[in-house]
Amino acid sequence: MSTHYYFSWFNKFFPEKLVHCLQEDIQDRQSLVMISADPSVYTDEQINLDDISEWTWLNQANIIFEEYHFIDYRMQKEDARRFIQNASVIFLCGGYPVLQKDFLAAYELADVIKNSNAVILGASAGALNMSAQWLSLNDTGHEVETSTIYDGIGFDDFAYESHSKRGYATFVQGYLFPLSEEIDVYAAEQESAIRVKDGKIETMGPLYLISRSKIRKLVETL
């Protein structure tokens, strides 16, 4: 069973206690594969890793790999699948969750990722797509927003929510309550993380568990 990390977003660096956990869990430093959540945005042949926040977090934590691969529509499907199969760590990047979900489907990557023995990391959009389900709110320009529930890769049997402009004040208004009647929802503010290792869920930072329309703040266990 691989180890999974669900990150909200970190504005600067990984917190020290999270770095300690990652250093412990990521022993194989051969290959890091990052999967874009805006897979059509880059057109140049080369990408500057310094422009990718998720890479800088790992780099600042001194988690350095021998190989780095950034996967988006510029890469051939067969190469993307091969790099994922051989990855030490797979990082589903932040950005646009629907675009990332569509890319995973177009390249048939979800099962390849799920069957990997790599450590799996996801930030924001990437963490949504790692979970069993997630909710997309569409701003219609009116007071009531429309919502769509998507299935994620489903590493763990919970739904996940992470958006930088949403926090407890928004979560408690109840837009996640209908989903929470079907599945537990972990709702994350910025600077938070969930680690699932050997089936055990541990948390760090401001996180809330919403279950059957009841919300409670979680005590940090990482």
Side-chain angles (χ1 to χ4, degrees):
M1 181 181 292
S2 64
T3 300
H4 317 139
Y5 282 85
Y6 300 76
F7 303 138
S8 55
W9 196 256
F10 299 97
N11 290 313
K12 293 185 178 178
F13 316 123
F14 283 144
E16 186 175 338
K17 53 189 169 183
L18 180 57
V19 171
H20 178 77
C21 292
L22 289 165
Q23 291 275 9
E24 174 187 296
D25 289 336
I26 302 174
Q27 296 295 318
D28 180 356
R29 309 281 176 89
Q30 173 65 30
S31 173
L32 171 67
V33 171
M34 293 170 284
I35 302 175
S36 177
D38 195 0
S40 300
V41 70
Y42 296 109
T43 56
D44 297 333
E45 287 186 15
Q46 294 278 336
I47 186 167
N48 183 358
L49 291 175
D50 289 327
D51 294 334
I52 302 172
S53 296
E54 295 86 345
W55 178 83
T56 63
W57 298 338
L58 290 170
N59 194 50
Q60 288 156 353
N62 199 33
I63 301 174
I64 309 298
F65 296 84
E66 294 181 29
E67 299 176 10
Y68 297 89
H69 304 284
F70 187 81
I71 295 178
D72 59 14
Y73 282 116
R74 294 171 301 170
M75 183 178 288
Q76 295 295 315
K77 175 179 173 180
E78 295 74 17
D79 291 336
R81 293 169 65 87
R82 176 169 52 84
F83 285 136
I84 288 170
Q85 288 168 343
N86 295 325
S88 309
V89 172
I90 299 168
F91 204 146
L92 285 90
C93 296
Y96 300 94
V98 175
L99 294 182
Q100 187 177 62
K101 177 180 174 59
D102 290 346
F103 176 62
L104 295 175
Y107 270 45
E108 299 178 303
L109 298 180
D111 285 344
V112 183
I113 298 168
K114 193 168 186 179
N115 292 329
S116 171
N117 292 320
V119 174
I120 312 295
L121 314 177
S124 192
L128 266 65
N129 277 311
M130 283 173 59
S131 68
Q133 291 185 307
W134 53 275
L135 182 71
S136 174
L137 283 182
N138 304 307
D139 188 353
T140 61
H142 303 286
E143 288 187 11
V144 178
E145 294 179 308
T146 61
S147 62
T148 304
I149 295 173
Y150 291 98
D151 290 329
I153 296 171
F155 282 106
D156 303 289
D157 190 25
F158 57 74
Y160 184 79
E161 166 70 322
S162 173
H163 283 90
S164 60
K165 295 181 180 179
R166 296 180 189 142
Y168 179 78
T170 308
F171 300 147
V172 79
Q173 292 174 14
Y175 74 95
L176 292 164
F177 287 178
L179 180 58
S180 79
E181 293 292 332
E182 306 296 328
I183 190 171
D184 285 349
V185 181
Y186 285 86
E189 293 187 9
Q190 289 199 67
E191 310 290 330
S192 68
I194 298 172
R195 175 171 73 170
V196 184
K197 185 174 183 179
D198 299 326
K200 180 182 179 183
I201 298 174
E202 298 173 287
T203 64
M204 184 210 79
L207 276 152
Y208 308 91
L209 176 61
I210 307 174
S211 182
R212 299 195 178 280
S213 299
K214 296 187 182 300
I215 183 170
R216 66 180 174 91
K217 187 169 185 177
L218 297 174
V219 176
E220 291 192 36
T221 54
L222 265 182

